[in-house]
Amino acid sequence: MLALVTCALMLLQILRPLPAAAAVEALPDDYQYAIGFAETKNTNEWSYLQWDGTAYSEMDWKPLEHRWRGNCEFCIIARSGMHPDVNDAVIGWTAPRAGTVTVRGTIDSRDYGDPANHDIDGVRAFVRQRSGSTLTKVWPSDAYQEIRPGFMAQHIFQTTVAAGDQLLFHVNKNGTTYNDSTSWFPRISYGYTPKFALDQAELVMGPDDFEHIGINDALDASVSVVPKNGSFDFYHSSGGRLQKFRGDLRHPAQTPVYHDQASVRFTNLNQFDGTWWIENIYRTPEGHLLAFCHIENANPATSGWWAGGLAYSTDDGEHFQILGKTIAAEVKQQTGANGNIGGMPFVVKDGYFYVYFTEPGVPTVARAPVTEVLDAARRGTVSTWMKLDRNSGFTSPGMNGVGGWVMPAGETNDYGTHGDAAYSTYLGKYLMAGGSAGAGRGVFLAFGDDPTHFETPTWLLNSDAVNKPTLSPYETIVNLDGSDNGEVGREFYVYFGYYFVWPRDEPTTDIAKEFRWLYRQKVTLNAAGFNRSAVSLGTDYTGKHGENGLDYVQRFPAPGMRYFMMNWNDQDLRWHGDEQFALIDSVGMHPGSTYDVARAWQAPRTGTVRVSAGGGIFTAGGSGADGVRITINRSTSSFKSPVVTVWPAWDSPAAIVAPGTTLPFAPVDIPVTKGEWLYFNVNRNGNNGYDTTVWVPQIAYLP
């Protein structure tokens, strides 16, 4: 463990090793490959191996290459990633003690070659557990996770280990070794309870399947799933066309039913304007289909260019009658250049449909009584929908009224609503799946206790490579048995499109090959992950703003000054401020030459929390170092709110940690209100030389 701390400090520009054993106790049992990677064997519990199909053997360190190399030319492991050859490249981790561990990570191909080029065929990945001489595969449930060039897949699972057990992270060459470099930063944590487990991402439709069912351009909307006599009908809209096809959940594109111009399948008796997409479908009690539609190219003078509406089928989806518009943005956009409202995920609660869209760029909601919506649909029209107003409830008109946000605004992530929503009977919570075109791109899953309040989303699919030029749009939530109407149990699939190259207007983009991919991933919810009474700002640390209720911020140290976001760097896997040495990783923080840095935690509920830091707070030292000043601050609503100091006492000076020493930290109890933020703040004192500070707060609600 001492070496792990030393490595972490070196990452934060510290030139001398950590001399204080007390600081080691402050570290949680959180093992991150990106931090623990070393040039010596079996350091920080990590090892660097190869598998020849029969046995494991150790690689050799190559100092001139700064990486480990096996006995094959391209069998390589470095801090930045790994590459297989005839032998698998294998990262090993040895359990220092018995217990249950959570294993997290993203397997990410940073090669964006043509995924249909069979000479570049990607890799296969899986995780084994070795207990004595017994080898057991622990992830995925299938034989392996296939990673095509440019693809990525996240894993989350738990396993029980005995002291000395090994977890072995395999990358296999698949067929060829061309362009097989793979980024994989495993993370193993004792005492961390995840919200859900993730099995492998499975390809369910590729370019040939899209061609077979008549999707000639690309995936352009969420795929709607409707059970049909033991199989399933699937609906999709793309650029003025409507497709229907039939199959099972693993292989949807077995039988094409139709792929027509929308005008053939949509009846538009009242001549409503715009181009209509079917995004989600609800089966009515009498077996009819109510389609929630996204609308573009609408009349700017009436609804604006973007809108949402309803269509209705009484002949089992052979035709849909356009009923009318129900939702339009507050500002009537004149063109499609901006203002996309996304949509249209829905849930049902207490006799109301709740439908989600974005305004502007953040999810909001409108609702209408189910009986009124269905009665109007039977008459060939629509009823009145009302948007949520944060101050007065559902009082804002659905058409061009002002909508209130239902989840926190993304500072660096765009939470799009071209996805799906559902209610989990297992969890007693509402779910929303969507895509992000923000940093790292990917797929999110948000949870809410009611349909109008969702917490900051958690990532199902996301890359540490902030500028990864891919996109994962159009999500669908489906129960394992395929039943839909917006209700799932503990386990379900999230289907999502994958664009291997984005943006689509690049002249080199081959839409037919690179945009026609549909994956699904099984999610298993874990109620214990939602009922945690304690968090560690170490094991809960991630590279995504807001995830696990944590954030990473900076501010100018003056009264009334507000915090603002730091930026994730995918080269060194840590948060950077606006100054060179303003840095945060999972273990340490380093202030800038003028700016403070802080870890931020948002209270999920009202109560009193006990803040502790086992082993105290350690600050490095060196020539001319003068230590740091630390405080715990609080703001009542958001980063834009001024803060007050709650530790030491508000009228006391900041605590000073002298260079090269450990400051004991007696637990402190702090009352918090739901939504408040606590900031664990590090200030440079006089100068910021050698100011890396190891401070890993633990926060626990008191009974």
Side-chain angles (χ1 to χ4, degrees), residues 668-687:
V668 56
D669 295 346
I670 302 174
V672 294
T673 301
K674 179 179 179 179
E676 282 187 334
W677 289 86
L678 294 182
Y679 302 92
F680 298 86
N681 194 87
V682 177
N683 171 273
R684 65 187 175 90
N685 200 7
N687 65 65

Side-chain angles (χ1 to χ4, degrees), residues 428-448:
K429 290 180 181 289
Y430 294 86
L431 321 176
M432 187 192 304
S436 170
R441 308 186 184 274
V443 177
F444 68 80
L445 190 61
F447 301 90

Side-chain angles (χ1 to χ4, degrees), residues 248-566:
D248 58 39
L249 296 181
R250 181 65 181 85
H251 303 97
Q254 295 180 22
T255 305
V257 179
Y258 59 70
H259 46 90
D260 300 326
Q261 291 292 335
S263 58
V264 175
R265 298 293 169 177
F266 277 127
T267 57
N268 192 0
L269 301 179
N270 294 314
Q271 299 301 304
F272 287 102
D273 52 278
T275 304
W276 290 59
W277 278 256
I278 290 179
E279 294 279 358
N280 286 285
I281 290 178
Y282 171 84
R283 186 180 284 280
T284 70
E286 62 265 53
H288 297 165
L289 303 180
L290 180 71
F292 292 82
C293 298
H294 169 77
I295 306 168
E296 298 182 11
N297 199 28
N299 185 349
T302 56
S303 62
W305 203 90
W306 310 87
L310 295 174
Y312 194 62
S313 174
T314 59
D315 59 3
D316 203 30
E318 293 302 299
H319 303 86
F320 287 87
Q321 179 182 347
I322 290 179
L323 303 177
K325 300 176 186 177
T326 55
I327 294 163
E330 172 192 358
V331 177
K332 295 180 181 179
Q333 299 291 342
Q334 299 301 301
T335 70
N338 51 34
N340 191 344
I341 68 169
M344 309 291 289
F346 75 90
V347 295
V348 179
K349 182 192 179 186
D350 297 336
Y352 283 88
F353 282 119
Y354 291 78
V355 66
Y356 301 95
F357 51 99
T358 55
E359 187 182 303
V362 180
T364 186
V365 65
R367 77 175 189 182
V370 172
T371 55
E372 292 183 10
V373 172
L374 297 184
D375 286 345
R378 296 181 189 108
R379 300 192 309 271
T381 187
V382 295
S383 58
T384 301
W385 288 69
M386 302 299 291
K387 292 181 183 178
L388 174 68
D389 181 282
R390 273 294 173 207
N391 297 317
S392 56
F394 286 92
T395 59
S396 185
M399 295 297 294
N400 306 120
V402 179
W405 294 352
V406 297
M407 69 174 61
E411 295 280 353
T412 59
N413 295 295
D414 175 19
Y415 300 132
T417 53
H418 273 307
D420 203 358
Y423 175 75
S424 168
T425 55
Y426 160 78
L427 202 60
K429 290 180 181 289
Y430 294 86
L431 321 176
M432 187 192 304
S436 170
R441 308 186 184 274
V443 177
F444 68 80
L445 190 61
F447 301 90
D449 291 326
D450 67 71
T452 63
H453 296 84
F454 288 83
E455 63 185 36
T456 298
T458 302
W459 295 100
L460 294 181
L461 183 77
N462 204 263
S463 175
D464 286 323
V466 171
N467 295 318
K468 189 176 177 76
T470 57
L471 194 63
S472 308
Y474 309 124
E475 293 71 27
T476 304
I477 299 173
V478 184
N479 227 343
L480 293 192
D481 63 4
S483 58
D484 204 2
N485 268 6
E487 192 170 278
V488 297
R490 181 180 187 184
E491 295 183 314
F492 53 89
Y493 295 112
V494 174
Y495 290 72
F496 57 90
Y498 197 87
Y499 291 0
F500 279 87
V501 175
W502 185 260
R504 64 183 295 170
D505 55 1
E506 290 184 356
T508 58
T509 298
D510 186 340
I511 291 176
K513 292 180 179 179
E514 294 172 345
F515 284 19
R516 293 187 191 171
W517 303 82
L518 181 66
Y519 286 84
R520 74 174 187 182
Q521 195 158 15
K522 189 173 85 171
V523 179
T524 302
L525 297 172
N526 180 20
F530 293 85
N531 299 323
R532 293 192 299 159
S533 61
V535 299
S536 164
L537 272 61
T539 55
D540 283 82
Y541 168 95
T542 75
K544 303 293 179 290
H545 277 300
E547 194 165 23
N548 294 331
L550 303 183
D551 243 309
Y552 313 91
V553 294
Q554 59 186 335
R555 71 162 188 158
F556 186 77
M561 296 300 291
R562 303 173 173 92
Y563 287 100
F564 56 98
M565 299 290 192
M566 299 175 76

